[in-house]
Amino acid sequence: MPVPEEQRIYAGWLDVASRAGLAILAVAFLAYAFGVVGAHVPVEELPTLWTLPLEDYLARTGAPTGWDWIGMLPNGEYLSLIGVVMLGMATLVCYVRLVLALLKNGERLQAGIAAAQVVVLFLAALGFLAGGH
Amino acid sequence: MKKISIGAVLALVFGCLSFAEPALAADGAGGVAWYWWPLGLFLVSFALGVLAVLGGIGGGVLFVPLVSGFFPFHLDFVRGAGLLLALSGSLSAAPQLLRSGLASLRLALPLALVGSITSIVGALIGFALPTDVVQTALGFTILAIALIMWMGPKDDRPRVGAQDALSSALRLHGVYDDPARGGRVEWRVHRTPAALFAFAGIGVLAGMFGLGAGWANVPVLNLLMGAPLKLSVGTSGLLLSVIDTSAAWIYLHRGAVLPMLVAPTVIGVMLGAKIGARLLRAASASAVRRAAIALLVVAGVRSALKGLGIWT
């Protein structure tokens, strides 16, 4: 098959990371929805809250922004966010691996673009680009 | 078989929406027990997942206008869920597309970088603007997308003359196996600077409205850059996984990712996509596509009227 090596490596890493993220999201959500774990905002109150604009929702519930949700574990809604974060991390991790593969092949221009993408994703993941808080 | 399948899917979508609409009209929550909402969301997402595969479109472009128009959830949370719907779908599909050579990582790299930066800008714009403005703009954007899909110009064998300097420098060319064409297909692209500019706009729309942007990626890759249609569709899926990731981080950090909306949506659309893939042989792609366009028109009109305060 005429598939470049770095592309096969990227596919393998992405496969594992995305499957793990989706599995964690599904399991954590079921635990949350069926009351196996507690919740910061009781699920019975959600229908009166999810109609609100984001800022009002945050003010009413005291829900965290940025990475502060980690301090709210093991509440069910934040356990579910672990799966979401893994989905967000999948591409970042794969790009880091991609940069190494491209450099190994001597493809500096492509590696530079991939490295710039890593910086963008990393800054976004850290929350530096989110604004508003 | 195909009529039953498409009819059942549409009946499921409209059944859930007709349940949601009067309940929403009552008092926002409608006095309905909380678990009916994620269950309804799951069913709609399941049906959209089937439609998305059968119609060859992204689920996000249907999800955001339909759910924001007919469910009580605020648009901020629907956009976050729509983005994660598109992201999870593209992440699931991308590995196989890459291994088969139907997606090109090399082609995606520069376009994804531009699109991901502007998707962050789009997400920030979406949070800065008043909800009714975003809702109205979403409605008209969806109607424009429906028009683009209806016209649907595609070129299975685009002709590319000389590559531009940028695509030559980035070595944006390659080969993939296509049994339908009886062998290997060599490809190369041109007009890369114009495509980068187009992806800047696509990123803004994806981030601002929480839409997957396959409807825009494919025409730019295929018609503007001259990539073969199959490669354009495959690479579009890969591009979505990068562009939507960037915007998804903004939604997550701003607190706009509600697991009670996101998880049923993601699980529903993934299961629906699996069923859709099984129905693919029996269904008429053009009939499903027309059904999807009809849904887009309904959702676009509803969204625009809701944003304008005419039909709240």
Side-chain angles (χ1 to χ4, degrees):
Chain A
M1 288 290 288
V3 177
E5 183 192 3
E6 73 272 7
Q7 186 159 317
R8 282 189 286 106
I9 294 171
Y10 186 97
W13 280 58
L14 193 62
D15 205 5
V16 172
S18 58
R19 281 173 190 265
L22 287 170
I24 290 173
L25 175 63
V27 171
F29 172 73
L30 291 174
Y32 165 48
F34 286 97
V36 177
V37 292
H40 172 63
V41 178
V43 290
E44 297 82 6
E45 293 179 18
L46 282 174
T48 58
L49 295 168
W50 58 35
T51 58
L52 301 173
L54 176 61
E55 294 302 325
D56 295 346
Y57 174 87
L58 295 175
R60 285 272 296 273
T61 62
T65 56
W67 283 96
D68 293 348
W69 60 270
I70 290 177
M72 311 291 273
L73 293 172
N75 286 310
E77 59 264 61
Y78 302 110
L79 279 178
S80 303
L81 285 188
I82 294 174
V84 174
V85 164
M86 287 197 68
L87 292 178
M89 285 290 185
T91 297
L92 175 57
V93 171
C94 291
Y95 258 83
V96 171
R97 181 67 184 87
L98 177 64
V99 172
L100 300 176
L102 289 168
L103 285 174
K104 186 181 173 186
N105 293 344
E107 300 196 57
R108 292 185 180 178
L109 184 55
Q110 297 280 358
I113 294 171
Q117 184 72 71
V118 168
V119 171
V120 171
L121 290 171
F122 189 63
L123 291 175
L126 286 179
F128 288 159
L129 306 178
H133 62 88
Chain B
M1 171 71 178
K2 69 186 181 187
K3 287 181 180 175
I4 292 171
S5 303
I6 298 167
V9 169
L10 289 176
L12 182 57
V13 172
F14 282 114
C16 289
L17 296 180
S18 62
F19 154 79
E21 177 71 353
L24 172 60
D27 63 356
V32 176
W34 69 271
Y35 46 80
W36 288 109
W37 295 110
L39 185 61
L41 200 55
F42 170 80
L43 292 174
V44 166
S45 302
F46 177 83
L48 294 183
V50 176
L51 268 182
V53 171
L54 294 179
I57 56 173
V61 73
L62 285 167
F63 176 86
V64 176
L66 279 175
V67 172
S68 67
F70 292 95
F71 277 75
F73 317 125
H74 193 273
L75 183 58
D76 289 341
F77 303 118
V78 177
R79 288 186 291 137
L83 208 52
L84 283 160
L85 178 157
L87 173 60
S88 55
S90 59
L91 283 173
S92 298
Q96 181 55 33
L97 292 168
L98 285 164
R99 288 188 184 112
S100 66
L102 289 177
S104 170
L105 189 55
R106 188 174 296 275
L107 176 58
L109 278 176
L111 305 173
L113 178 59
V114 172
S116 64
I117 292 170
T118 56
S119 75
I120 291 171
V121 174
L124 295 174
I125 292 172
F127 282 118
L129 291 174
T131 301
D132 54 350
V133 173
V134 178
Q135 186 89 51
T136 306
L138 171 66
F140 285 111
T141 302
I142 293 297
L143 291 173
I145 292 169
L147 185 63
I148 291 170
M149 287 179 62
W150 179 259
M151 294 165 65
K154 289 186 175 61
D155 191 348
D156 196 28
R157 293 171 185 254
R159 290 182 182 175
V160 177
Q163 282 191 285
D164 60 90
L166 188 55
S167 64
S168 294
L170 293 170
R171 297 170 58 195
L172 302 183
H173 53 80
V175 180
Y176 67 92
D177 285 332
D178 187 355
R181 286 196 189 179
R184 292 187 170 188
V185 177
E186 291 189 19
W187 62 269
R188 57 184 174 176
V189 296
H190 59 173
R191 303 181 191 133
T192 308
L196 290 170
F197 187 75
F199 268 88
I202 290 171
V204 170
L205 292 178
M208 185 171 171
F209 298 125
L211 306 174
W215 54 272
N217 293 347
V218 174
V220 171
L221 288 164
N222 180 230
L223 298 176
L224 182 62
M225 299 188 80
L229 186 56
K230 277 192 179 178
L231 188 81
S232 300
V233 172
T235 304
S236 168
L238 175 63
L239 281 161
L240 284 178
S241 72
V242 184
I243 293 172
D244 290 352
T245 292
S246 308
W249 280 116
I250 306 304
Y251 282 81
L252 182 63
H253 285 305
R254 294 291 286 259
V257 174
L258 285 189
M260 192 56 80
L261 273 65
V262 169
T265 297
V266 169
I267 296 168
V269 84
M270 301 295 273
L271 292 177
K274 287 190 182 297
I275 301 295
R278 292 188 179 185
L279 293 174
L280 201 53
R281 287 187 181 180
S284 158
S286 60
V288 178
R289 200 168 181 80
R290 282 197 294 273
I293 290 170
L295 268 179
L296 278 176
V297 171
V298 171
V301 169
R302 171 73 175 108
S303 190
L305 294 179
K306 186 175 180 180
L308 292 169
I310 297 171
W311 179 13
T312 54

